[in-house]
């Protein structure tokens, strides 16, 4: 079924999506200062490619659903206080750039800021943190994030279809309209601070997939990149989304689109080919999509972790104390570690069932190994999450009752907010890390485990371990997570095959120390050289290359609403002049005329494929001129063409893509 979208951005107003109370309309933020002592304002609509800044200073504008800030209101003064969230990816990616690189962050706040406070908060965040908040009305926020993002996009991108009313939410166009409205608000904030000729804009994740359309419409030559942090489903799954074309076109308004794995990129390319009829090819080591004269580049780049942040936690005295406690508590036991969000896609219940099979099949493991399963708080709520949680507790209780003994529990569930140092301690002490997700965009738990197993001089000293002692680690990972292709030394499993998972865990625990060491060294080398800084620097370098030809081409914006795109042509392109063609035609002594059949002589949409009498008359006149050589070039069969064009005796035919030629 053809997806229905607004025919024009103005149609959104008729849906009352952007018709917010006047009290919520904010004045334009002052642009970030680019020349000392001069602050320019963005006023009016202006031309789409005018540089409204007085300076020329390249910046990286990072746009995400949430700003990398923690907000807290002082109970005594009533003032808002903000601090950087050091665990945020948006902060950590700065490590890939020189310290003087300027970053501007645009996103919403995880706090309810009153309307009369929003102006002051905006100014404070811009001056103190280079952050621009996007304040979404409460109703829009709820429908956009909890509605469309979490109840439609997130399940679909993880291969979950709403087959029944109690198994996911059916498509609701009001939620889609809220999603579009939220993206429009984000675009307004970007426009308030951007210098389109110099700045690079990098959009993060599935919350903002139509934002590129709004930005490309305003600035035809904007340097725009997008990275998807979740899986991208196969075309058979994605095509069920009623607004599939609008989202694809939104992403194609970027210059560079990034994915964690080749599979996710391949699925996206397949959707573009099957639903939009686009072709792609490899260009100088990059995959490129031709989209109305623009080349949209595809980047395959798995994200990394911030190693320095993790090592600093490893060096804390509290981490060493917890490691000693774990060492004493589980003395003589093999530790298997799982750290997952409470999520239906993390496969925690399947992991527990696999452990049950391990104890049942490999009886020598009873009493000798323990699964420590840390369950992070759920990021979303719903009946599915509650059912998953209930199943996890029932399964863990059954295993402990059957295979446990006084002083020994085979499965230990830690279902609370676990401090960072405690998680780090478990990472460092675990003999094996088991990641059993049934679908996950990347999952960085294995990377953190590898770094913690490597240790630091500080933690070695605290634990009384020689720095020269061999380091080992063992990973059992699901083949359905994004980091799996990067970890060639891990044991890959199908999480649905619980017998195979149990066998893999047994293999990991009994593997020789030499083999574990070799696998660990391979993994550590990869993880330590492909950290989050490397990921960010590599992406933005490719974004530079992808947008370097912007001013070498002529651009025209075409299309309405979410169908907007930019037509890009070389400077030498000129529209043919009929008068010039006629004049040249009359002056020449020899002319070669090649005509296509479908779409030229006969309309593509026509059910009747035979040429009309008028077309035959024109062809016959052209062929009777001795100065002309006229050929019909077509993929059609020679018999049909010969029959239909028989009145034109001097007409040449190149049928079947040139296989048959009649002079």
């Amino acid at each position: 079924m053809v997806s229905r979208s607004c025919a024009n951005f103005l149609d959104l107003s008729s849906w009352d999506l952007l018709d917010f109370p006047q009290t919520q309309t904010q004045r334009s933020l002052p642009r970030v200062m680019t020349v000392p002592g001069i602050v320019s304002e963005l006023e009016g609509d202006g031309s789409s490619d005018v540089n409204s800044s007085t300076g020329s200073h390249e910046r990286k504008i990072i746009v995400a659903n949430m700003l990398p800030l923690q907000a807290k209101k002082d109970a005594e003064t009533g003032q808002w206080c903000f601090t950087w969230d050091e665990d945020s990816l948006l902060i950590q990616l700065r490590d890939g750039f020189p310290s003087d690189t300027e970053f501007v962050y645009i996103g919403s706040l995880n706090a309810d800021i009153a309307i009369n406070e929003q102006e002051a908060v905006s100014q404070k965040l811009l001056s103190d943190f280079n952050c621009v908040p996007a304040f979404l009305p409460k109703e829009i926020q709820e429908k956009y994030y909890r509605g469309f993002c979490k109840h439609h996009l997130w399940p679909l991108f993880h291969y979950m279809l709403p087959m029944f009313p109690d198994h996911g939410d059916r498509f609701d166009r009001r939620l889609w309209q809220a999603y579009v409205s939220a993206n429009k608000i984000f675009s307004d904030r970007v426009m308030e601070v951007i210098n389109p000729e110099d700045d690079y804009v990098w959009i993060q994740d599935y919350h903002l997939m139509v934002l590129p359309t709004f930005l490309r419409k305003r600035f035809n030559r904007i340097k725009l990149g997008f990275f998807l942090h979740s899986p991208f489903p196969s075309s058979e799954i994605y095509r069920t989304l009623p607004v599939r074309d609008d989202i694809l076109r939104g992403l194609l308004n970027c210059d560079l689109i990034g994915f964690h794995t080749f599979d996710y990129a391949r699925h996206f390319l397949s959707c573009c080919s099957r639903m939009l009829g686009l072709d792609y090819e490899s260009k100088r080591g990059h995959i490129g999509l031709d989209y109305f004269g623009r080349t949209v580049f595809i980047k395959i780049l798995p994200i990394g972790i911030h190693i320095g942040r993790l090592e600093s936690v490893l060096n804390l005295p509290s981490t060493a104390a917890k490691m000693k406690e774990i060492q004493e508590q589980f003395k003589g036991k093999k530790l298997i570690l799982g750290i997952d969000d409470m999520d239906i896609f993390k496969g925690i219940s399947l992991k527990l069932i696999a452990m049950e099979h391990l104890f049942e099949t490999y009886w020598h493991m009873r009493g000798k190994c323990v699964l420590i399963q840390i369950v992070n708080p759920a990021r979303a709520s719903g009946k599915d999450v509650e059912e998953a949680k209930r199943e996890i507790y029932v399964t863990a209780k059954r295993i402990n009752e059957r295979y446990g003994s006084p002083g020994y529990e085979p499965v230990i569930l830690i279902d609370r907010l676990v401090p960072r140092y405690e998680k780090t301690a478990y990472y460092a002490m675990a003999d094996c890390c088991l990641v059993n997700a049934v679908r996950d965009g990347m999952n960085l738990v294995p990377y953190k485990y590898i770094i913690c197993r490597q240790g630091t001089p500080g933690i070695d000293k605290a634990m009384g371990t020689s720095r020269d002692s061999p380091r080992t680690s063992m990973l059992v990972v699901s083949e359905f997570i994004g980091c799996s292709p990067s970890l060639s030394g891990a044991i890959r499993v199908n999480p649905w095959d619980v017998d195979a998972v149990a066998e893999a865990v047994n293999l990991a625990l009994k593997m020789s120390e030499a083999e574990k060491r070799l696998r660990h060294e391979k993994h550590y080398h990869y993880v330590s050289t492909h950290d989050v800084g490397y990921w960010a620097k590599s992406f933005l370098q490719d974004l530079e290359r992808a947008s370097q030809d912007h001013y070498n081409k002529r651009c025209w914006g075409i299309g309405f609403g979410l169908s907007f795109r930019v037509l890009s042509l070389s400077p030498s392109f000129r529209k043919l002049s009929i008068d010039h063609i006629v004049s040249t035609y009359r002056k020449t002594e020899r002319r070669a005329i090649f005509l296509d059949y479908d779409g030229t002589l006969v309309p593509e949409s026509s059910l009747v494929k035979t040429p009309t009498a008028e077309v035959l008359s024109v062809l016959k006149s052209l062929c009777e001129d001795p100065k002309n050589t006229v050929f019909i070039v077509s993929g059609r069969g020679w018999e049909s063409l010969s029959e239909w064009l028989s009145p034109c005796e001097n007409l040449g035919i190149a049928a079947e893509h040139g296989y048959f030629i009649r002079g």
Side-chain angles (χ1 to χ4, degrees):
M1 185 177 71
V2 178
S3 64
R4 180 172 64 87
S5 66
C6 55
N8 191 296
F9 285 139
L10 296 177
D11 293 345
L12 293 173
S13 300
S14 65
W15 294 343
D16 294 325
L17 291 176
L18 304 178
D19 189 18
F20 306 137
Q22 290 300 313
T23 54
Q24 297 184 15
T25 303
Q26 299 296 312
R27 297 196 303 272
S28 295
L29 283 173
R31 294 178 56 82
V32 175
M33 190 177 293
T34 54
V35 175
I38 300 177
V39 179
S40 59
E41 296 282 345
L42 185 66
E43 297 176 353
D45 292 334
S47 135
S48 61
D49 284 310
V50 174
N51 181 357
S52 54
S53 173
T54 56
S56 178
H57 179 60
E58 176 190 304
R59 298 174 301 171
K60 322 295 184 188
I61 299 178
I62 312 296
V63 192
N65 178 49
M66 298 297 296
L67 286 171
L69 296 172
Q70 293 176 338
K72 186 178 181 181
K73 196 167 189 177
D74 191 295
E76 295 181 2
T77 64
Q79 297 295 313
W80 283 99
C81 302
F82 300 94
T83 56
W84 288 116
D85 180 2
E86 297 295 341
D87 290 326
S88 172
L89 165 70
L90 307 184
I91 295 297
Q92 295 174 355
L93 62 79
R94 296 191 297 194
D95 274 18
F97 303 90
S99 57
D100 60 346
T101 305
E102 184 178 356
F103 285 86
V104 179
Y105 296 101
I106 298 175
S108 55
L109 283 166
N110 191 19
D112 189 12
I113 310 293
I115 294 174
N116 61 348
E117 298 177 302
Q118 290 178 4
E119 178 72 15
V121 167
S122 296
Q123 301 295 341
K124 179 179 177 62
L125 293 182
L126 185 62
S127 60
D128 295 353
F129 298 94
N130 242 18
C131 289
V132 180
F135 297 111
L136 302 180
K138 195 169 184 179
E139 183 181 359
I140 294 291
Q141 169 70 26
E142 188 69 19
K143 290 180 179 178
Y144 147 72
Y145 182 72
R146 301 232 177 251
F148 195 75
C149 289
K150 286 301 181 183
H151 286 173
H152 285 323
L153 290 180
W154 179 257
L156 183 79
F157 279 21
H158 289 75
Y159 288 73
M160 180 179 173
L161 294 175
M163 302 296 291
F164 308 101
D166 59 347
H167 185 68
D169 292 346
R170 299 285 173 85
F171 181 79
D172 186 339
R173 190 160 292 277
R174 290 171 301 178
L175 303 184
W176 163 245
Q177 293 163 1
Y179 181 85
V180 174
S181 294
N183 276 244
K184 178 63 170 66
I185 293 171
F186 276 87
S187 75
D188 291 341
R189 309 311 272 174
V190 175
M191 292 174 192
E192 289 175 348
V193 297
I194 190 173
N195 178 352
E197 290 188 357
D198 297 317
D199 296 341
Y200 291 87
V201 180
W202 188 3
I203 301 170
Q204 307 288 332
D205 222 1
Y206 64 96
H207 313 90
L208 302 169
M209 291 194 291
V210 298
L211 173 58
T213 296
F214 289 101
L215 295 178
R216 184 69 66 186
K217 181 180 176 69
R218 178 65 178 85
F219 305 110
N220 289 171
R221 292 184 173 92
I222 189 173
K223 303 164 187 175
L224 193 55
F226 178 93
F227 197 93
L228 182 68
H229 293 273
S230 76
F232 196 93
S234 69
S235 60
E236 293 304 311
I237 297 292
Y238 180 78
R239 71 194 306 172
T240 63
L241 186 63
V243 291
R244 60 192 191 186
D245 291 354
D246 294 330
I247 289 176
L248 287 179
R249 291 192 185 102
L251 295 178
L252 290 169
N253 274 316
C254 294
D255 298 300
L256 178 67
I257 308 170
F259 299 92
H260 284 308
T261 71
F262 175 74
D263 282 346
Y264 303 161
R266 178 170 54 85
H267 292 159
F268 174 75
L269 293 169
S270 176
C271 289
C272 291
S273 175
R274 294 183 178 186
M275 294 164 209
L276 301 180
L278 301 179
D279 294 324
Y280 60 89
E281 61 180 352
S282 180
K283 297 183 178 181
R284 299 188 301 277
H286 294 81
I287 303 172
L289 269 166
D290 184 61
Y291 188 58
F292 291 92
R294 291 175 50 247
T295 299
V296 180
F297 288 95
I298 306 300
K299 176 82 170 174
I300 300 164
L301 186 65
I303 197 173
I305 61 174
H306 193 287
I307 297 173
R309 177 76 171 155
L310 200 55
E311 289 180 339
S312 67
V313 178
L314 262 176
N315 290 326
L316 293 174
S318 54
T319 303
K322 185 63 183 179
M323 288 173 64
K324 291 175 181 177
E325 180 187 323
I326 295 169
Q327 190 178 49
E328 183 63 29
Q329 181 182 356
F330 300 103
K331 191 173 183 179
K333 305 285 194 304
K334 294 285 188 181
L335 288 188
I336 305 165
L337 178 65
I339 299 182
D340 303 279
D341 295 343
M342 179 54 73
D343 189 308
I344 59 176
F345 300 110
K346 299 301 182 182
I348 301 176
S349 58
L350 289 173
K351 184 189 300 184
L352 296 180
I353 294 171
M355 289 301 298
E356 189 174 25
H357 279 250
L358 175 74
F359 294 122
E360 182 180 329
T361 307
Y362 304 96
W363 57 268
H364 61 279
M365 287 293 179
R366 300 175 190 176
K368 294 184 179 179
C369 70
V370 177
L371 171 66
I372 308 291
Q373 178 61 54
I374 297 176
V375 182
N376 297 325
R379 298 186 184 184
S381 58
K383 188 168 66 173
D384 290 338
V385 174
E386 293 302 319
E387 288 178 356
K389 188 171 184 177
R390 185 165 52 251
E391 183 182 1
I392 289 168
Y393 272 89
V394 169
T395 308
K397 183 180 179 183
R398 183 176 70 241
I399 295 172
N400 288 334
E401 287 177 349
R402 184 172 180 183
Y403 298 107
S405 60
Y408 168 68
E409 284 187 328
V411 176
I412 297 178
L413 283 181
I414 304 178
D415 185 10
R416 57 178 168 80
L417 194 61
V418 179
R420 190 181 298 109
Y421 78 88
E422 187 176 344
K423 282 185 187 176
T424 304
Y426 278 113
Y427 276 130
M429 297 304 296
D431 297 284
C432 175
C433 183
L434 175 56
V435 182
N436 207 49
V438 296
R439 188 73 60 179
D440 209 347
M442 188 62 189
N443 200 310
L444 297 174
V445 166
Y447 289 7
K448 296 176 182 178
Y449 168 68
I450 291 163
I451 296 300
C452 290
R453 289 291 289 176
Q454 182 68 18
T456 64
I459 198 66
D460 287 343
K461 183 178 179 181
M463 297 298 293
T465 306
S466 170
R467 191 60 188 158
D468 297 328
S469 62
R471 310 292 159 148
T472 63
S473 63
M474 206 55 232
L475 284 166
V476 178
V477 300
S478 165
E479 62 189 54
F480 298 111
I481 63 176
C483 68
S484 175
S486 305
L487 299 169
S488 58
I491 301 175
R492 297 190 186 94
V493 294
N494 174 3
W496 303 100
D497 187 349
V498 292
D499 291 325
V501 176
E503 182 182 352
V505 172
N506 178 60
L507 175 63
L509 294 179
K510 71 177 186 179
M511 189 174 289
S512 69
E513 293 298 307
E515 180 68 16
K516 290 179 183 178
R517 186 165 63 252
L518 286 173
R519 292 178 184 236
H520 172 78
E521 288 173 357
K522 178 190 291 188
H523 290 158
Y524 180 73
H525 175 73
Y526 173 80
V527 174
S528 61
T529 55
H530 293 76
D531 62 357
V532 66
Y534 170 88
W535 169 78
K537 183 178 180 180
S538 180
F539 185 90
L540 284 168
Q541 282 177 340
D542 275 14
L543 179 56
E544 274 189 58
R545 285 191 286 267
S547 54
Q548 64 185 359
D549 291 334
H550 278 188
Y551 289 91
N552 296 334
K553 292 188 175 183
R554 305 171 70 194
C555 297
W556 290 268
I558 58 175
F560 295 102
L562 297 179
S563 296
F564 177 84
R565 62 271 188 201
V566 169
L567 177 64
S568 182
L569 299 170
S570 68
S572 60
F573 178 83
R574 296 290 185 274
K575 182 179 179 181
L576 288 174
S577 166
I578 295 178
D579 293 338
H580 177 71
I581 294 172
V582 171
S583 173
T584 305
Y585 180 88
R586 287 173 176 168
K587 291 176 182 177
T588 53
E589 295 298 321
R590 285 182 66 82
R591 316 179 192 106
I593 302 172
F594 298 92
L595 301 171
D596 189 18
Y597 189 81
D598 292 282
T600 303
L601 300 185
V602 178
E604 289 274 10
S605 58
S606 175
L607 296 176
V608 180
K609 295 303 180 183
T610 55
T612 63
E614 183 182 5
V615 169
L616 289 174
S617 174
V618 172
L619 282 175
K620 197 170 183 180
S621 298
L622 288 172
C623 294
E624 288 175 351
D625 188 332
K627 296 180 181 179
N628 292 344
T629 299
V630 185
F631 261 85
I632 300 298
V633 182
S634 175
R636 288 188 171 274
W638 67 273
E639 291 180 339
S640 301
L641 291 175
S642 298
E643 179 184 348
W644 294 340
L645 301 170
S646 57
C648 308
E649 296 179 359
N650 298 326
L651 179 65
I653 297 176
E656 301 173 21
H657 300 292
Y659 185 80
F660 173 85
I661 297 179
R662 185 192 80 179

